[in-house]
């Protein structure tokens, strides 16, 4: 596997979520969860970009924590959609896997930045 830096991985994750919903679902629940997932996935990438430009360590940690919060929200959303059969499992599982890996990376960054 070719290494991608975290910023690119977060952008790719957000883009993959957007592509998942090129055609908006019909039901209220599916639309609600789709819109929220797009917001949280994109927010994680955008807040990580803010962390990269943070002026202080405290600000960087804060932005990384927001990134983590948004990634956790995305993962929970994907799990709910999967359990409600709103997404095909073969489309949902790779996104959940990448989401989980991104969470682990951001947690590690927060721990290292705190040291």
């Amino acid at each position: 596997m070719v290494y991608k830096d975290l910023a690119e991985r977060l952008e790719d994750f957000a883009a993959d979520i957007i592509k998942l919903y090129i055609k908006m679902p019909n039901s209220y629940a599916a639309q609600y969860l789709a819109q929220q997932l797009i917001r949280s996935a994109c927010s994680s990438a955008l807040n990580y970009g803010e962390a990269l430009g943070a002026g202080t360590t405290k600000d960087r940690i804060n932005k990384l924590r927001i990134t983590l919060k948004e990634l956790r929200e995305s993962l929970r959303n994907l799990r709910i959609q999967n359990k409600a059969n709103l997404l095909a499992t073969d489309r949902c599982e790779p996104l959940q896997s990448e989401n989980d890996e991104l969470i682990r990376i951001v947690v590690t960054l927060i721990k290292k930045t705190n040291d």
Side-chain angles (χ1 to χ4, degrees), residues 45-67 113:
L46 296 171
N47 277 290
Y48 182 71
E50 289 291 319
L52 292 176
T56 65
T57 302
K58 184 177 178 178
D59 189 30
R60 179 179 168 91
I61 291 170
N62 183 49
K63 296 297 184 188
L64 287 172
R65 285 185 177 145
I66 295 169
T67 300
T113 305

Side-chain angles (χ1 to χ4, degrees), residues 37-53:
L37 180 56
I38 290 169
R39 282 192 294 275
S40 60
C42 290
S43 179
S44 64
L46 296 171
N47 277 290
Y48 182 71
E50 289 291 319
L52 292 176

Side-chain angles (χ1 to χ4, degrees), residues 6 48 51 57 60-69 71-72 102-115:
L6 182 55
Y48 182 71
T57 302
R60 179 179 168 91
I61 291 170
N62 183 49
K63 296 297 184 188
L64 287 172
R65 285 185 177 145
I66 295 169
T67 300
L68 179 60
K69 175 187 144 317
L71 285 169
R72 286 182 172 153
L102 292 168
I103 287 170
R104 292 172 193 269
I105 293 168
V106 173
V107 166
T108 302
L109 278 176
I110 292 170
K111 287 179 180 177
K112 285 184 178 182
T113 305
N114 272 329
D115 292 342

Side-chain angles (χ1 to χ4, degrees), residues 4-27:
K4 294 182 186 177
D5 75 355
L6 182 55
E8 188 174 345
R9 281 184 71 177
L10 286 162
E11 290 168 5
D12 289 349
F13 175 69
D16 288 344
I17 294 295
I18 291 168
K19 290 175 192 172
L20 187 63
Y21 298 107
I22 292 296
K23 183 177 178 189
M24 191 54 120
N26 292 328
S27 75

